[in-house]
Amino acid sequence: MTEGARALQREQTRRALLREGRRLFAAHGYGAVGLAEIVRAAGVTKGALYHHFASKADLFRAVLREVQEEVAREVAGTAAAQDDPWEQLTSGCRAFLTASTAPGVQRIMLIDGPAVLGWSEWRAMDEAASARHLGEALAALAERGVIAAQPVEPLTHLLSGAMNEAALWLAGSAGPGDLDDTWAALSRMLQALRATPD
């Protein structure tokens, strides 16, 4: 087997582990999924898993990063489709809430993520993904005077925390209009940030 073929096989094995790990973690939660179940579903050996990931937690970390990056891309893409900077912020926030209502995303990103990796590591990963885009959008709005001049970092943490908490609440809610109600409340909060003309 050539080195190129081995590299392709290694990548295919890694992708299979990520795919099946994600599917199982999303369906059953991290604590209910064993390594034997993951390798069986991926059609590989435990040795192959350990070649790519040091532990189940390490595999979960990679799955979480993948989920966070997908949500961040979706949010950034939705925001970028708007011309107006304020619309970019609001459409991006709404896209985050909508993406976060997917059960697998909620379970991996918002429920198991902090529990498995610990708050500090989860928070750092969240900041590297979605929170970074939010901070950039808020900084641009402050520079243009669309929102009042203020320290952007605490504002970013406040809004990010509010949206993560809203997504967690939506995970346990059963009302058909809960997403719309949550967006309406968040929209009012965001509107309060707008600078009033002199």
Side-chain angles (χ1 to χ4, degrees), residues 90-170:
T90 57
S91 65
C93 288
R94 185 164 190 152
F96 174 82
L97 278 183
T98 303
S100 298
T101 60
V105 171
Q106 287 173 338
R107 163 70 75 175
I108 291 168
M109 192 170 81
L110 299 170
I111 298 170
D112 284 347
V116 172
L117 301 180
W119 178 255
S120 295
E121 183 177 355
W122 176 83
R123 190 72 195 119
M125 290 176 71
D126 184 56
E127 285 181 20
S130 298
R132 179 175 54 85
H133 294 296
L134 178 60
E136 290 168 357
L138 291 168
L141 289 170
E143 286 172 17
R144 293 181 171 158
V146 176
I147 64 173
Q150 60 190 291
V152 170
E153 191 171 353
L155 180 59
T156 301
H157 284 276
L158 285 166
L159 283 176
S160 179
M163 287 190 289
N164 284 336
E165 184 61 31
L168 280 171
W169 178 76
L170 285 167

Side-chain angles (χ1 to χ4, degrees), residues 55-75:
S55 61
K56 183 172 89 164
D58 193 37
L59 171 61
F60 178 81
R61 182 179 292 108
V63 167
L64 173 60
R65 185 174 294 113
E66 183 176 83
V67 170
Q68 287 179 321
E69 288 171 357
E70 284 176 13
V71 170
R73 277 194 305 274
E74 190 170 332
V75 168

Side-chain angles (χ1 to χ4, degrees), residues 17 35 39 44-56 58:
L17 287 164
L35 283 178
V39 297
V44 301
T45 64
K46 273 193 181 178
L49 182 141
Y50 286 123
H51 177 77
H52 294 279
F53 304 101
S55 61
K56 183 172 89 164
D58 193 37

